Coordinates of all heavy atoms in Angstrom, one line a residue:
F6 N -3.8 2.6 10.3 CA -2.5 2.5 9.7 C -2.2 1.1 9.3 O -1.7 0.8 8.2 CB -1.4 3.0 10.7 CG 0.0 3.1 10.2 CD1 0.3 4.1 9.3 CD2 0.9 2.2 10.7 CE1 1.6 4.1 8.8 CE2 2.2 2.3 10.2 CZ 2.6 3.2 9.3
A7 N -2.4 0.1 10.2 CA -2.2 -1.3 9.9 C -3.1 -1.8 8.8 O -2.7 -2.5 7.9 CB -2.4 -2.1 11.2
R8 N -4.3 -1.3 8.8 CA -5.3 -1.7 7.7 C -4.7 -1.2 6.3 O -4.8 -2.0 5.3 CB -6.6 -1.0 7.9 CG -7.7 -1.4 6.9 CD -9.0 -0.8 7.3 NE -9.9 -0.9 6.2 CZ -10.8 0.0 5.8 NH1 -10.9 1.1 6.5 NH2 -11.5 -0.2 4.8
I9 N -4.2 0.0 6.3 CA -3.6 0.5 5.0 C -2.4 -0.4 4.6 O -2.3 -0.8 3.5 CB -3.2 2.0 5.2 CG1 -4.5 2.8 5.4 CG2 -2.4 2.4 4.0 CD1 -4.1 4.2 5.9
G10 N -1.6 -0.6 5.6 CA -0.4 -1.4 5.3 C -0.7 -2.8 4.8 O -0.1 -3.2 3.8
E11 N -1.6 -3.5 5.4 CA -2.0 -4.8 5.0 C -2.7 -4.8 3.6 O -2.4 -5.6 2.8 CB -2.9 -5.5 6.0 CG -3.0 -7.0 5.7 CD -3.6 -7.7 6.9 OE1 -3.4 -7.3 8.0 OE2 -4.2 -8.8 6.6
A12 N -3.5 -3.8 3.4 CA -4.2 -3.7 2.1 C -3.2 -3.4 0.9 O -3.3 -3.9 -0.2 CB -5.2 -2.5 2.1
L13 N -2.1 -2.6 1.2 CA -1.2 -2.3 0.2 C -0.1 -3.3 0.0 O 0.4 -3.6 -1.1 CB -0.5 -0.9 0.5 CG -1.3 0.3 0.3 CD1 -0.6 1.5 0.9 CD2 -1.7 0.5 -1.1
F14 N 0.3 -4.0 1.1 CA 1.5 -4.8 1.1 C 1.3 -6.2 1.5 O 2.3 -7.0 1.6 CB 2.6 -4.1 1.9 CG 3.0 -2.7 1.5 CD1 2.5 -1.6 2.2 CD2 3.7 -2.5 0.3 CE1 2.8 -0.3 1.8 CE2 4.0 -1.2 -0.1 CZ 3.6 -0.1 0.7
G15 N 0.1 -6.6 1.9 CA -0.1 -8.0 2.3 C 0.1 -8.2 3.8 O 0.4 -7.3 4.6
T16 N 0.0 -9.5 4.2 CA 0.1 -9.8 5.6 C 1.4 -9.5 6.3 O 1.5 -9.2 7.5 CB -0.3 -11.3 5.9 OG1 0.6 -12.1 5.1 CG2 -1.7 -11.6 5.5
L17 N 2.5 -9.5 5.5 CA 3.8 -9.2 6.1 C 4.2 -7.8 5.6 O 5.2 -7.5 5.0 CB 4.9 -10.2 5.6 CG 4.6 -11.7 5.9 CD1 5.6 -12.6 5.3 CD2 4.6 -11.8 7.4
W18 N 3.3 -6.8 6.0 CA 3.4 -5.5 5.4 C 4.4 -4.6 6.0 O 4.8 -3.6 5.3 CB 2.0 -4.9 5.5 CG 1.5 -4.7 6.9 CD1 0.8 -5.6 7.6 CD2 1.6 -3.6 7.7 NE1 0.5 -5.1 8.9 CE2 1.0 -3.8 9.0 CE3 2.2 -2.3 7.6 CZ2 0.9 -2.9 10.0 CZ3 2.2 -1.4 8.6 CH2 1.5 -1.7 9.8
Q19 N 4.8 -4.8 7.2 CA 5.6 -3.7 7.9 C 6.9 -3.5 7.2 O 7.3 -2.3 7.0 CB 5.8 -4.1 9.4 CG 4.5 -4.0 10.1 CD 4.6 -4.3 11.6 OE1 5.7 -4.5 12.1 NE2 3.5 -4.4 12.3
E20 N 7.7 -4.5 6.9 CA 8.9 -4.3 6.2 C 8.8 -3.8 4.8 O 9.5 -2.9 4.3 CB 9.8 -5.6 6.2 CG 10.3 -6.0 7.5 CD 11.3 -5.0 8.1 OE1 12.1 -4.4 7.4 OE2 11.2 -4.8 9.4
A21 N 7.7 -4.3 4.1 CA 7.5 -3.8 2.7 C 7.1 -2.3 2.8 O 7.5 -1.5 1.9 CB 6.4 -4.6 2.1
M22 N 6.3 -1.9 3.7 CA 5.9 -0.5 3.9 C 7.1 0.3 4.2 O 7.3 1.4 3.6 CB 4.8 -0.3 4.9 CG 4.5 1.2 5.1 SD 3.3 1.5 6.5 CE 1.8 1.2 5.7
A23 N 8.0 -0.2 5.1 CA 9.2 0.6 5.4 C 10.0 0.8 4.2 O 10.5 1.9 4.0 CB 10.0 -0.2 6.5
R24 N 10.2 -0.2 3.4 CA 11.0 0.0 2.1 C 10.4 1.0 1.2 O 11.0 1.9 0.7 CB 11.2 -1.4 1.4 CG 12.2 -2.3 2.0 CD 12.5 -3.5 1.1 NE 11.3 -4.3 0.9 CZ 10.8 -5.2 1.7 NH1 11.4 -5.5 2.8 NH2 9.8 -5.9 1.3
A25 N 9.0 0.9 1.1 CA 8.3 1.9 0.2 C 8.4 3.3 0.7 O 8.5 4.2 -0.1 CB 6.9 1.4 0.0
L26 N 8.5 3.5 2.0 CA 8.6 4.8 2.5 C 10.0 5.3 2.7 O 10.2 6.5 3.1 CB 7.8 4.8 3.9 CG 6.3 4.6 3.9 CD1 5.8 4.4 5.3 CD2 5.6 5.7 3.1
G27 N 11.0 4.4 2.6 CA 12.4 4.7 2.8 C 12.7 5.0 4.2 O 13.5 5.8 4.6
V28 N 12.1 4.2 5.1 CA 12.4 4.3 6.5 C 12.7 2.9 7.0 O 12.6 1.9 6.3 CB 11.2 4.8 7.3 CG1 10.8 6.2 6.9 CG2 10.0 3.9 7.3
S29 N 13.2 2.8 8.3 CA 13.5 1.5 8.9 C 12.2 0.8 9.3 O 11.2 1.4 9.6 CB 14.4 1.7 10.1 OG 13.7 2.2 11.2
G30 N 12.4 -0.5 9.3 CA 11.3 -1.4 9.8 C 11.0 -1.0 11.3 O 9.8 -1.1 11.7
R31 N 12.0 -0.6 12.0 CA 11.8 -0.2 13.4 C 10.9 1.0 13.5 O 10.0 1.0 14.4 CB 13.2 0.1 14.0 CG 13.1 0.5 15.5 CD 14.4 0.8 16.1 NE 15.1 -0.5 16.2 CZ 16.4 -0.6 16.6 NH1 17.1 0.4 16.8 NH2 16.9 -1.8 16.7
S32 N 11.1 1.9 12.6 CA 10.2 3.1 12.6 C 8.7 2.7 12.5 O 7.8 3.2 13.2 CB 10.5 4.1 11.5 OG 11.8 4.7 11.8
V33 N 8.5 1.8 11.5 CA 7.1 1.4 11.3 C 6.6 0.6 12.5 O 5.4 0.9 13.0 CB 7.0 0.5 10.0 CG1 5.6 -0.1 9.9 CG2 7.4 1.3 8.8
R34 N 7.4 -0.2 13.1 CA 7.0 -0.9 14.3 C 6.7 0.1 15.5 O 5.7 -0.1 16.2 CB 8.0 -1.9 14.7 CG 8.0 -3.1 13.8 CD 8.9 -4.3 14.3 NE 10.3 -3.9 14.4 CZ 11.1 -3.9 13.3 NH1 10.7 -4.3 12.1 NH2 12.4 -3.6 13.5
Y35 N 7.4 1.1 15.6 CA 7.2 2.1 16.6 C 5.8 2.8 16.4 O 5.1 3.1 17.3 CB 8.3 3.2 16.6 CG 9.6 2.8 17.3 CD1 10.8 3.3 16.8 CD2 9.6 2.0 18.4 CE1 12.0 3.0 17.5 CE2 10.8 1.6 19.0 CZ 12.0 2.1 18.5 OH 13.2 1.8 19.1
W36 N 5.6 3.1 15.1 CA 4.3 3.8 14.8 C 3.1 2.8 15.1 O 2.1 3.3 15.6 CB 4.3 4.2 13.3 CG 5.3 5.1 12.9 CD1 6.0 6.0 13.8 CD2 5.9 5.3 11.6 NE1 6.9 6.7 13.0 CE2 6.9 6.3 11.7 CE3 5.7 4.7 10.4 CZ2 7.7 6.7 10.7 CZ3 6.5 5.1 9.3 CH2 7.5 6.1 9.5
V37 N 3.3 1.6 14.7 CA 2.2 0.6 14.9 C 1.9 0.5 16.4 O 0.8 0.4 16.9 CB 2.5 -0.8 14.3 CG1 1.5 -1.8 14.7 CG2 2.6 -0.7 12.8
A38 N 3.0 0.4 17.2 CA 2.8 0.3 18.7 C 2.3 1.5 19.4 O 1.9 1.5 20.5 CB 4.2 -0.2 19.3
G39 N 2.4 2.6 18.6 CA 2.0 3.9 19.2 C 3.1 4.5 20.1 O 2.8 5.5 20.8
D40 N 4.3 4.0 19.9 CA 5.4 4.6 20.7 C 5.9 5.9 20.1 O 6.5 6.7 20.8 CB 6.6 3.6 20.6 CG 6.3 2.3 21.4 OD1 5.4 2.3 22.3 OD2 6.9 1.3 21.1
H41 N 5.7 6.1 18.8 CA 6.0 7.4 18.2 C 4.9 7.8 17.3 O 4.2 7.0 16.7 CB 7.3 7.3 17.3 CG 8.5 6.9 18.1 ND1 9.1 7.8 19.0 CD2 9.3 5.8 18.1 CE1 10.2 7.2 19.5 NE2 10.3 6.0 19.0
P42 N 4.6 9.1 17.1 CA 3.5 9.5 16.2 C 4.0 9.3 14.8 O 5.2 9.4 14.4 CB 3.4 11.0 16.5 CG 4.7 11.5 17.1 CD 5.2 10.2 17.8
I43 N 3.0 9.1 13.9 CA 3.3 8.9 12.5 C 3.5 10.3 11.9 O 2.6 11.1 12.0 CB 2.1 8.1 11.8 CG1 1.9 6.7 12.5 CG2 2.4 8.0 10.3 CD1 0.7 6.0 12.1
P44 N 4.6 10.5 11.3 CA 4.8 11.9 10.7 C 3.9 12.2 9.6 O 3.4 11.3 8.8 CB 6.3 11.7 10.2 CG 6.9 10.6 10.9 CD 5.8 9.7 11.2
R45 N 3.5 13.5 9.4 CA 2.6 13.9 8.4 C 3.1 13.5 7.0 O 2.4 13.1 6.1 CB 2.5 15.4 8.4 CG 1.6 15.9 9.4 CD 1.3 17.3 9.3 NE 0.5 17.8 10.4 CZ 0.1 19.0 10.6 NH1 0.5 19.9 9.7 NH2 -0.6 19.3 11.7
G46 N 4.4 13.5 6.8 CA 5.0 13.2 5.5 C 4.7 11.7 5.1 O 4.6 11.4 4.0
V47 N 4.6 10.9 6.1 CA 4.3 9.5 5.9 C 2.9 9.3 5.3 O 2.7 8.6 4.4 CB 4.5 8.6 7.2 CG1 3.9 7.2 7.0 CG2 6.0 8.5 7.5
W48 N 2.0 10.1 5.9 CA 0.6 10.1 5.4 C 0.5 10.5 4.0 O -0.2 10.0 3.2 CB -0.3 10.9 6.3 CG -0.5 10.3 7.7 CD1 -0.1 10.8 8.9 CD2 -1.2 9.0 8.0 NE1 -0.5 10.0 9.9 CE2 -1.1 8.9 9.4 CE3 -1.8 8.1 7.2 CZ2 -1.7 7.8 10.0 CZ3 -2.4 7.0 7.9 CH2 -2.3 6.8 9.2
A49 N 1.3 11.6 3.7 CA 1.3 12.1 2.3 C 1.9 11.1 1.4 O 1.4 10.8 0.3 CB 2.1 13.4 2.2
D50 N 3.0 10.4 1.8 CA 3.6 9.3 1.0 C 2.6 8.2 0.7 O 2.5 7.6 -0.4 CB 4.9 8.8 1.6 CG 6.0 9.8 1.6 OD1 5.9 10.8 0.8 OD2 7.0 9.6 2.3
L51 N 1.9 7.8 1.8 CA 0.9 6.7 1.6 C -0.2 7.1 0.7 O -0.7 6.3 -0.1 CB 0.3 6.3 3.0 CG 1.3 5.6 3.9 CD1 0.7 5.4 5.3 CD2 1.7 4.2 3.3
R52 N -0.6 8.4 0.7 CA -1.7 8.8 -0.2 C -1.1 8.7 -1.7 O -1.9 8.3 -2.6 CB -2.1 10.3 0.0 CG -3.1 10.4 1.2 CD -3.7 11.8 1.2 NE -2.7 12.9 1.4 CZ -2.2 13.3 2.6 NH1 -2.7 12.7 3.7 NH2 -1.3 14.3 2.7
G53 N 0.1 9.0 -1.9 CA 0.7 8.8 -3.2 C 0.8 7.4 -3.6 O 0.5 7.1 -4.8
I54 N 1.2 6.5 -2.7 CA 1.2 5.1 -3.0 C -0.2 4.6 -3.4 O -0.3 3.8 -4.3 CB 1.9 4.3 -1.8 CG1 3.3 4.7 -1.7 CG2 1.7 2.8 -2.0 CD1 4.0 4.2 -0.4
I55 N -1.2 5.0 -2.6 CA -2.5 4.5 -2.8 C -3.0 5.1 -4.2 O -3.7 4.3 -4.9 CB -3.4 5.0 -1.7 CG1 -3.1 4.2 -0.4 CG2 -4.9 4.8 -2.1 CD1 -3.7 4.8 0.9
A56 N -2.7 6.3 -4.5 CA -3.1 6.9 -5.8 C -2.5 6.1 -6.9 O -3.2 5.8 -7.9 CB -2.7 8.4 -5.9
N57 N -1.2 5.8 -6.8 CA -0.6 5.0 -7.9 C -1.2 3.6 -8.0 O -1.4 3.1 -9.1 CB 0.9 4.9 -7.6 CG 1.7 6.1 -7.8 OD1 1.2 7.0 -8.5 ND2 2.8 6.3 -7.2
R58 N -1.5 3.0 -6.9 CA -2.1 1.6 -6.9 C -3.5 1.7 -7.5 O -3.9 0.9 -8.3 CB -2.2 1.1 -5.5 CG -2.8 -0.3 -5.3 CD -1.9 -1.4 -5.9 NE -0.6 -1.4 -5.3 CZ -0.2 -2.1 -4.2 NH1 -1.2 -2.8 -3.6 NH2 1.0 -2.1 -3.7
R59 N -4.2 2.8 -7.2 CA -5.5 2.9 -7.7 C -5.5 3.1 -9.3 O -6.3 2.5 -10.0 CB -6.2 4.2 -7.1 CG -7.6 4.4 -7.6 CD -8.2 5.6 -6.9 NE -9.5 5.8 -7.3 CZ -10.3 6.8 -6.9 NH1 -9.8 7.8 -6.2 NH2 -11.5 6.9 -7.4
A60 N -4.5 3.8 -9.8 CA -4.3 4.0 -11.2 C -4.0 2.7 -11.9 O -4.5 2.3 -12.9 CB -3.3 5.1 -11.5
D61 N -3.1 1.9 -11.2 CA -2.7 0.6 -11.7 C -3.9 -0.3 -11.8 O -4.1 -1.0 -12.8 CB -1.6 0.0 -10.9 CG -0.3 0.7 -11.0 OD1 0.0 1.4 -12.0 OD2 0.6 0.4 -10.1
L62 N -4.7 -0.3 -10.8 CA -5.9 -1.2 -10.8 C -6.9 -0.8 -11.8 O -7.5 -1.6 -12.5 CB -6.5 -1.2 -9.4 CG -5.7 -1.9 -8.3 CD1 -6.4 -1.6 -6.9 CD2 -5.7 -3.4 -8.5
A63 N -7.1 0.5 -12.0 CA -8.0 1.0 -13.1 C -7.5 0.6 -14.4 O -8.3 0.1 -15.3 CB -8.1 2.5 -13.0
D64 N -6.2 0.6 -14.7 CA -5.6 0.1 -15.9 C -5.9 -1.4 -16.1 O -6.2 -1.9 -17.2 CB -4.1 0.3 -16.0 CG -3.8 1.8 -16.2 OD1 -4.7 2.6 -16.6 OD2 -2.6 2.2 -16.0
M65 N -5.8 -2.2 -15.0 CA -6.0 -3.6 -15.1 C -7.5 -3.9 -15.4 O -7.8 -4.8 -16.2 CB -5.6 -4.3 -13.8 CG -4.1 -4.3 -13.6 SD -3.7 -5.2 -12.0 CE -2.5 -4.1 -11.4
I66 N -8.4 -3.1 -14.8 CA -9.8 -3.3 -15.0 C -10.1 -3.0 -16.5 O -10.8 -3.8 -17.2 CB -10.6 -2.4 -14.1 CG1 -10.6 -2.9 -12.7 CG2 -12.1 -2.3 -14.6 CD1 -11.1 -2.0 -11.7
E67 N -9.5 -2.0 -17.1 CA -9.7 -1.7 -18.5 C -9.2 -2.8 -19.4 O -9.8 -3.1 -20.4 CB -9.0 -0.3 -18.8 CG -9.3 0.2 -20.2 CD -10.8 0.5 -20.4 OE1 -11.5 0.9 -19.4 OE2 -11.3 0.3 -21.5
Q68 N -8.0 -3.4 -19.0 CA -7.5 -4.5 -19.8 C -8.5 -5.7 -19.8 O -8.7 -6.3 -20.8 CB -6.2 -4.9 -19.3 CG -5.0 -4.0 -19.6 CD -3.7 -4.5 -19.0 OE1 -3.7 -5.3 -18.2 NE2 -2.6 -3.8 -19.5
I69 N -9.0 -5.9 -18.6 CA -10.0 -7.1 -18.5 C -11.2 -6.8 -19.3 O -11.7 -7.6 -20.0 CB -10.4 -7.3 -17.0 CG1 -9.2 -7.9 -16.3 CG2 -11.6 -8.2 -16.9 CD1 -9.3 -7.9 -14.8
L70 N -11.7 -5.5 -19.3 CA -12.9 -5.2 -20.0 C -12.7 -5.3 -21.5 O -13.6 -5.5 -22.3 CB -13.4 -3.8 -19.6 CG -13.9 -3.7 -18.2 CD1 -14.2 -2.2 -17.9 CD2 -15.1 -4.5 -18.0
Q71 N -11.5 -5.0 -22.0 CA -11.2 -5.0 -23.4 C -10.7 -6.4 -23.9 O -10.6 -6.6 -25.1 CB -10.1 -4.0 -23.7 CG -10.6 -2.6 -23.5 CD -9.5 -1.6 -23.9 OE1 -8.4 -1.9 -24.3 NE2 -9.8 -0.3 -23.6
A72 N -10.6 -7.4 -23.0 CA -10.1 -8.7 -23.4 C -11.2 -9.4 -24.2 O -12.4 -9.2 -24.0 CB -9.8 -9.5 -22.2
P73 N -10.8 -10.1 -25.2 CA -11.8 -10.9 -26.0 C -12.5 -11.9 -25.1 O -11.9 -12.4 -24.2 CB -11.0 -11.5 -27.1 CG -9.6 -11.6 -26.6 CD -9.4 -10.4 -25.6
P74 N -13.8 -12.1 -25.5 CA -14.5 -13.2 -24.7 C -13.9 -14.5 -24.8 O -13.3 -14.8 -25.9 CB -15.9 -13.1 -25.2 CG -15.8 -12.4 -26.5 CD -14.6 -11.6 -26.5
P75 N -13.9 -15.3 -23.8 CA -13.3 -16.7 -23.9 C -14.1 -17.5 -24.9 O -15.3 -17.4 -25.1 CB -13.4 -17.2 -22.5 CG -14.5 -16.4 -21.8 CD -14.5 -15.1 -22.5
R76 N -13.4 -18.4 -25.6 CA -14.1 -19.3 -26.5 C -14.9 -20.4 -25.7 O -14.5 -20.7 -24.6 CB -13.1 -20.1 -27.4 CG -12.4 -19.2 -28.3 CD -11.4 -20.0 -29.1 NE -10.5 -19.1 -29.9 CZ -9.8 -19.5 -30.8 NH1 -9.7 -20.8 -31.2 NH2 -9.0 -18.7 -31.5
N77 N -16.0 -20.9 -26.2 CA -16.8 -21.9 -25.5 C -17.2 -21.5 -24.1 O -17.2 -22.3 -23.2 CB -16.0 -23.2 -25.5 CG -15.6 -23.7 -26.8 OD1 -16.3 -23.4 -27.8 ND2 -14.6 -24.5 -26.9
A78 N -17.5 -20.2 -24.0 CA -17.9 -19.8 -22.6 C -19.3 -20.1 -22.2 O -20.2 -20.3 -22.7 CB -17.7 -18.2 -22.5

């Protein structure tokens, strides 16, 4: 869970993940600490966020591949 959070939202991921999921930062901290189980819906939401990020990255790769070569390279 923490690995996913950091990969998607950076080192200060817990609050950013909470905002993206529409939950409180406290909920995310409870999940990280193991005080509460992570709801199934959260996993589904994270899959959606990851799928969107993957599509965005694929678009960026395509832009890079289509960019003209630099002059004097």
Side-chain angles (χ1 to χ4, degrees):
F6 186 73
R8 180 176 170 219
I9 294 167
E11 193 165 332
L13 289 173
F14 303 105
T16 55
L17 302 175
W18 62 271
Q19 292 181 6
E20 289 298 322
M22 178 185 276
R24 282 190 302 276
L26 295 171
V28 301
S29 70
R31 180 178 290 172
S32 292
V33 173
R34 288 189 294 279
Y35 284 148
W36 301 333
V37 171
D40 294 336
H41 297 293
I43 301 168
R45 282 188 187 179
V47 168
W48 292 113
D50 290 344
L51 287 172
R52 280 193 301 274
I54 293 167
I55 291 167
N57 288 338
R58 181 70 57 90
R59 183 178 183 186
D61 289 343
L62 290 170
D64 289 344
M65 288 180 226
I66 290 169
E67 190 59 33
Q68 287 178 346
I69 290 168
L70 293 174
Q71 292 180 6
R76 295 181 190 191
N77 302 335

